[in-house]
């Protein structure tokens, strides 16, 4: 199974909105509700930002939202803040308890 | 507060073995599936293995099948990853992680350890 496809980079100015896509297949993203997004700052462990496509864990700002259409999931960060600058990874259940990650997107706040 | 603390990483020669441990605290670890995720230097995340809450079901990425073994000791709140026949491409930071959902294996991880570095080199 191949990794999910994410754009390598994304950027936006403070206050703007940015959307990061994550494209898979009907065997992973399109077939299951277990699609997640993780934020990773340099030298730090990943942090869960979105689970089950669009749910936010406690403590994650509502500026972060997730959605899915067909085989593509999306993470939208609204009202960009400097602290949002990080790498973002999507993941999806891929059947037989296997998990796929995307290649990661580096978000830059201009 | 959920805490996951990995240990056991280090430098090993190709073909060698290492056993990673992950000590869990702050939650009833026996109620959750757990997993290992690795990140090669400068690269993205790669799922390695998952184990269900009882330890009776284990799953692996194809590249480590037959070489790695995940296990857990719920009496010690500890997760393990036995890594044999190590290769240079196994060099990575290895994170242990806790599944989101109590009792169900979702492969979504809501808590992560700080990671332990495994370097495979001669």
């Amino acid at each position: 199974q191949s990794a999910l496809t994410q754009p390598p980079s994304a950027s936006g100015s403070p206050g703007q909105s940015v959307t990061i896509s994550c494209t898979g297949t009907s065997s992973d993203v399109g077939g299951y509700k277990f699609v997640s997004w993780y934020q990773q700052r340099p030298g730090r462990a990943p942090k869960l930002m979105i689970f089950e496509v669009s749910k936010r864990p406690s403590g994650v700002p509502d500026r972060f939202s997730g959605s899915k259409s067909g085989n593509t999931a999306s993470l939208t960060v609204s009202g960009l803040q400097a602290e949002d600058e990080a790498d973002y990874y999507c993941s999806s259940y891929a059947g037989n308890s296997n998990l796929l990650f995307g290649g990661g997107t580096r978000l830059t706040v201009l | 507060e959920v805490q996951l603390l990995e240990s056991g990483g280090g430098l090993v020669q190709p073909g060698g073995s290492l056993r990673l441990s992950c000590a869990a605290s702050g939650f009833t670890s026996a109620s959750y599936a757990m997993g290992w995720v690795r990140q090669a230097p400068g690269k993205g995340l790669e799922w390695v293995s998952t184990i269900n809450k009882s330890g009776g079901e284990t799953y692996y990425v194809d590249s480590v099948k037959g070489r790695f073994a995940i296990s857990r000791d719920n009496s010690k709140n500890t997760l393990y990853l036995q890594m044999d026949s190590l290769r240079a491409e196994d060099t990575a930071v290895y994170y242990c992680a806790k599944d989101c959902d109590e009792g169900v294996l979702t492969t979504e991880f809501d808590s992560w350890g700080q990671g332990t570095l495994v370097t495979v080199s001669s």
Side-chain angles (χ1 to χ4, degrees):
Chain A
Q1 288 168 317
S2 301
L4 308 176
T5 300
Q6 295 182 235
S9 64
S11 63
S13 299
Q16 288 186 332
S17 293
V18 170
T19 297
I20 299 170
S21 63
C22 170
T23 302
T25 70
S26 58
S27 297
D28 38 70
V29 174
Y32 303 97
K33 70 175 183 177
F34 298 123
V35 177
S36 307
W37 289 91
Y38 298 89
Q39 177 192 71
Q40 187 180 34
R41 295 193 173 103
R44 304 293 297 275
K47 174 185 176 183
L48 181 67
M49 304 301 283
I50 297 288
F51 67 103
E52 290 185 18
V53 176
S54 59
K55 298 180 179 179
R56 276 187 311 276
S58 173
V60 172
D62 60 6
R63 304 185 292 103
F64 291 84
S65 62
S67 63
K68 186 178 80 168
S69 177
N71 298 335
T72 298
S74 298
L75 172 72
T76 298
V77 186
S78 304
L80 269 176
Q81 298 182 4
E83 67 198 48
D84 299 332
E85 189 160 289
D87 293 329
Y88 290 85
Y89 294 91
C90 64
S91 72
S92 174
Y93 182 78
N96 293 321
S97 295
N98 289 326
L99 176 64
L100 285 177
F101 281 99
T105 298
R106 177 151 296 178
L107 175 60
T108 301
V109 181
L110 301 172
Chain B
E1 178 192 4
V2 172
Q3 289 194 333
L4 299 170
L5 184 61
E6 302 97 335
S7 61
L11 175 63
V12 61
Q13 292 187 337
S17 299
L18 274 180
R19 188 176 84 153
L20 305 184
S21 300
C22 173
S25 61
F27 68 105
T28 306
S29 61
S31 295
Y32 292 86
M34 300 285 292
W36 290 95
V37 175
R38 67 185 178 184
Q39 186 170 35
K43 302 297 185 181
L45 301 174
E46 180 185 34
W47 169 72
V48 175
S49 182
T50 301
I51 187 168
N52 72 339
K53 62 178 182 175
S54 70
E57 299 174 15
T58 59
Y59 307 91
Y60 302 92
V61 67
D62 285 347
S63 61
V64 309
K65 283 181 182 176
R67 300 189 299 122
F68 289 12
I70 190 172
S71 62
R72 65 192 299 164
D73 185 339
N74 286 337
S75 68
K76 296 181 178 179
N77 297 317
T78 303
L79 174 73
Y80 302 100
L81 185 67
Q82 178 66 42
M83 304 186 295
D84 298 324
S85 302
L86 282 162
R87 306 168 180 166
E89 54 264 37
D90 295 319
T91 294
V93 173
Y94 284 73
Y95 296 100
C96 76
K98 166 189 164 291
D99 201 290
C100 279
D101 205 324
E102 185 172 2
V104 178
L105 200 161
T106 71
T107 70
E108 298 181 306
F109 299 119
D110 63 356
S111 296
W112 296 62
Q114 85 291 347
T116 187
L117 177 62
V118 172
T119 303
V120 184
S121 174
S122 55

